[in-house]
Amino acid sequence: MIDRAIAVVSPARAVRRQAARKQLDILNTGYSNSGASKQKKSMRGWLFRGGSTKEDIDENLDTLRQRSRDLYMNTPLATGALKTIRTNAIGYGLVLNSQIDYEFLGLSEDEADAWETQVEREFSLWAESLMADSLQMHNFYELQQIAFLSFLASGEIFVALPYRSHIEHKYALRVQLIEGDRVSSPSGTSGTSDNIMSGVELGNYGEVVAYHICNMHPLSTGSGKKEWIRVEKFGKESGRQNLLHLMESERPDQRRGVPLLSPVIESLKQLDRYSEAELTAALVSSLMTIFIETTEDDDGSGSIIGEGIAETDQVDQVDETTVELAPGSVIALNPGEKANTSNPARNNTSFDPFVTAIMRQMGAALEIPYEVLVKHFTSSYSASRAALLEAWKMFKMRRTFMAKRFCQPIYEEWLTEAILIGRVHAPGFLEDPLIRRAYSQAEWNGPSQGQLDPLKEVNAAIKRVEAGYSTRAKETVELTGGDFWRNHAQRVREEEARRAAGLDLPYLEIMKSMGEEVNQENGED
């Protein structure tokens, strides 16, 4: 009302007041001064659109999975990145080290050690057998490698634990790996109808109650009718976990995993194209091929098209004019044809620095330092060790994830079966959840951290043990991945054998001198 009144008396002043009010509306405050600014010229061209996990993740999963797996199969850098994580985090497979709470169970240390040794022996009987796999192709440790690599490439993997008896095997537990693509919404359901979101069925409170698994891979070209099986996450009567779902969550309400390579898919593909183009250019420039141009015959007739091209030189049998260049090859051209070359004048000196810069960015996104990503340690000892330590943080985190989400649940399922069939004795295991937890506690040991200077690493381990910061058992696992107690028993046997054979001369001389001193004190010869 005031503006309208002023406009009647002084239109110019009313215009200035309106302009000032508009200027107040566009002033930046807080994040609008930088990342959320819509007025800066540098940010106006930024096209963006946010959404929930359904729009941002679920609707893009098929494309992300297929592109990620394509990079793994066809791009060396992507293959190396995933296998580097697999090899350092899992290696040959995480090995069981039973660590029961013997104090809570009322057992002595000797009784606990005997129980743990028996369980580890029984578990090895199952884990090292092909019967651990539902396909009867891999043992438990090889299944860990497959599951983890698929988890990295596809973003997730599902694990079923069926029981199938075998006449020559004591245990019926099997591990069935299910690729994430097969968990999808059944035909006829769209969006979030029937509380099914991307194959995940939700309860009244948004919790996961079941998964819908297709009987065949959705990308398979085989014939057959697609059918979906509904598998509840937990059994109604037993409460056991019927299906393990290995994935990393980035946001709340996220129920499907994202491939590890997703943030760097474009960079990896463009870098692969650039490397291939440079390789092709270098190859072509290194070839020396001679083209001979002919003239028309006396009668004026030309030679047949492609007459001078041998079949072995043709790359494409459909196109007769497509020729493969080779060092020292001689190719005859038809009358009137000329061979022209294209020199793109690439600056090859900038290839390596540019590729290195891109790989450093991708390494930061994948949590793999550049030196570890390309296995190129040319810096100082301190810099190389810092890179290894930084990478080892990520490796340990993923190893812990795999141990808790894959190895431990399967071990607890196996231990339950072993107790039920009488192979393992554990009083109260089935009645009290605290007793069950006490018996089920375990460590999962994998490959040790790499060492640049083993002597320095061993000296540091000795000092940590002497100062009480660590134990011999822990240092043995981290340095060599071994078992201290088994090493100790083996060393006792070895030393006794050496002394019995008279090979440990310093020890024999010390014992002889000590014996002479004792005899002199007792007055004996």
Side-chain angles (χ1 to χ4, degrees):
M1 293 177 61
I2 296 176
D3 287 343
R4 288 198 296 269
I6 294 176
V8 174
V9 179
S10 177
R13 182 173 296 180
V15 170
R16 289 196 298 270
R17 285 171 58 87
Q18 190 69 17
R21 185 172 288 104
K22 291 293 184 182
Q23 189 174 2
L24 286 175
D25 292 339
I26 65 174
L27 286 180
N28 295 327
T29 59
Y31 280 113
S32 60
N33 283 314
S34 54
S37 175
K38 298 179 182 179
Q39 303 301 324
K40 291 184 177 180
K41 293 182 179 180
S42 60
M43 307 295 283
R44 287 181 181 177
W46 189 337
L47 303 178
F48 63 93
R49 176 179 177 270
S52 66
T53 57
K54 177 180 179 296
E55 290 79 17
D56 290 351
I57 297 177
D58 295 352
E59 295 180 358
N60 299 312
L61 268 183
D62 288 340
T63 303
L64 290 176
R65 288 198 199 104
Q66 295 180 50
R67 288 180 175 176
S68 176
R69 291 196 290 256
D70 182 75
L71 286 174
Y72 170 76
M73 291 184 286
N74 299 293
T75 305
L77 187 59
T79 306
L82 297 188
K83 286 190 173 181
T84 295
I85 300 175
R86 187 277 314 270
T87 301
N88 286 272
I90 305 299
Y92 50 79
L94 305 185
V95 180
L96 170 68
N97 181 20
S98 179
Q99 297 286 330
I100 66 174
D101 189 354
Y102 64 90
E103 294 180 348
F104 175 78
L105 297 172
L107 302 176
S108 64
E109 292 188 18
D110 293 338
E111 292 173 336
D113 183 66
W115 192 92
E116 292 168 353
T117 302
Q118 178 196 0
V119 168
E120 291 172 3
R121 187 179 294 113
E122 286 286 335
F123 184 76
S124 297
L125 176 65
W126 173 80
E128 295 177 0
S129 170
L130 298 182
M131 295 302 169
D133 183 11
S134 63
L135 301 180
Q136 301 181 17
M137 294 180 60
H138 307 93
N139 61 31
F140 177 64
Y141 305 106
E142 294 167 347
L143 287 173
Q144 293 181 39
Q145 303 174 31
I146 299 172
F148 187 71
L149 196 57
S150 179
F151 156 71
L152 295 178
S154 300
E156 61 185 353
I157 189 170
F158 295 84
V159 184
L161 303 175
Y163 281 83
R164 298 172 185 171
S165 300
H166 192 275
I167 189 172
E168 295 183 359
H169 198 64
K170 297 293 183 181
Y171 297 97
L173 178 65
R174 303 289 183 267
V175 178
Q176 181 180 2
L177 302 181
I178 303 173
E179 203 162 26
D181 305 61
R182 291 180 56 189
V183 178
S184 57
S185 299
S187 299
T189 60
S190 59
T192 57
S193 61
D194 299 328
N195 289 334
I196 300 176
M197 181 183 297
S198 299
V200 182
E201 184 176 336
L202 308 179
N204 296 330
Y205 301 98
E207 75 279 12
V208 178
V209 297
Y211 296 95
H212 294 260
I213 306 175
C214 187
N215 62 336
M216 57 188 300
H217 199 285
L219 302 178
S220 174
T221 57
S223 60
K225 181 181 179 181
K226 291 184 178 180
E227 297 179 352
W228 280 261
I229 302 174
R230 181 180 181 273
V231 179
E232 294 186 354
K233 186 176 180 62
F234 298 98
K236 291 182 178 180
E237 297 183 1
S238 64
R240 68 186 289 267
Q241 196 168 353
N242 293 327
L243 207 63
L244 308 180
H245 185 190
L246 274 63
M247 59 163 283
E248 285 187 347
S249 296
E250 301 173 352
R251 298 169 57 178
D253 297 330
Q254 179 181 342
R255 295 170 178 90
R256 300 305 300 265
V258 179
L260 180 67
L261 298 178
S262 296
V264 295
I265 283 179
E266 182 181 4
S267 300
L268 279 170
K269 189 59 179 179
Q270 298 289 60
L271 186 61
D272 181 61
R273 288 170 175 166
Y274 177 46
S275 300
E276 186 177 355
E278 287 294 336
L279 178 62
T280 303
L283 179 62
V284 171
S285 63
S286 66
L287 299 177
M288 185 182 69
T289 304
I290 300 175
F291 295 90
I292 299 178
E293 183 179 357
T294 60
T295 60
E296 293 184 354
D297 296 335
D298 295 338
D299 56 2
S301 61
S303 59
I304 301 174
I305 297 297
E307 184 179 20
I309 301 175
E311 291 185 3
T312 56
D313 295 331
Q314 294 180 1
V315 179
D316 190 352
Q317 295 295 335
V318 178
D319 186 0
E320 296 180 349
T321 62
T322 302
V323 184
E324 180 179 4
L325 303 182
S329 63
V330 179
I331 300 176
L333 301 178
N334 292 328
E337 294 179 344
K338 291 185 179 181
N340 296 321
T341 59
S342 175
N343 184 12
R346 284 186 174 86
N347 185 13
N348 291 325
T349 58
S350 62
F351 174 78
D352 190 65
F354 175 75
V355 171
T356 300
I358 298 299
M359 286 194 294
R360 290 185 187 277
Q361 297 180 19
M362 291 189 293
L366 300 176
E367 297 184 280
I368 308 177
Y370 167 77
E371 294 84 354
V372 180
L373 180 63
V374 298
K375 312 295 189 298
H376 188 66
F377 298 92
T378 57
S379 302
S380 63
Y381 170 82
S382 300
S384 299
R385 176 167 172 76
L388 286 174
L389 290 176
E390 192 65 26
W392 192 247
K393 296 177 184 178
M394 182 267 294
F395 296 147
K396 288 185 67 176
M397 180 193 71
R398 298 197 180 278
R399 177 183 297 180
T400 302
F401 168 83
M402 194 67 178
K404 291 184 176 180
R405 300 292 297 274
F406 184 85
C407 298
Q408 185 65 25
I410 295 176
Y411 166 65
E412 293 179 6
E413 193 69 22
W414 169 87
L415 185 58
T416 302
E417 182 188 6
I419 294 172
L420 288 173
I421 64 177
R423 300 285 297 183
V424 175
H425 182 64
F429 182 88
L430 301 175
E431 289 78 19
D432 192 336
L434 282 178
I435 296 179
R436 176 187 177 93
R437 175 179 172 82
Y439 275 116
S440 302
Q441 291 184 9
E443 293 179 351
W444 296 91
N445 299 324
S448 60
Q449 181 181 359
Q451 302 173 21
L452 295 178
D453 191 336
L455 181 59
K456 291 183 179 179
E457 301 291 344
V458 171
N459 289 333
I462 293 174
K463 292 184 179 296
R464 284 195 293 266
V465 172
E466 292 177 349
Y469 300 140
S470 184
T471 64
R472 286 181 169 84
K474 184 175 184 296
E475 295 298 334
T476 302
V477 172
E478 293 186 353
L479 286 176
T480 64
D483 187 331
F484 169 77
W485 294 108
R486 292 184 179 179
N487 292 348
H488 176 72
Q490 180 66 23
R491 288 192 66 244
V492 169
R493 291 193 296 269
E494 292 174 352
E495 295 301 323
E496 290 178 351
R498 286 177 57 83
R499 294 167 188 169
L503 298 177
D504 200 345
L505 298 180
Y507 171 81
L508 295 176
E509 293 177 356
I510 293 174
M511 294 302 295
K512 182 178 180 181
S513 62
M514 291 179 61
E516 292 176 352
E517 293 176 359
V518 172
N519 291 337
Q520 291 176 0
E521 292 178 358
N522 297 335
E524 299 176 359
D525 294 335

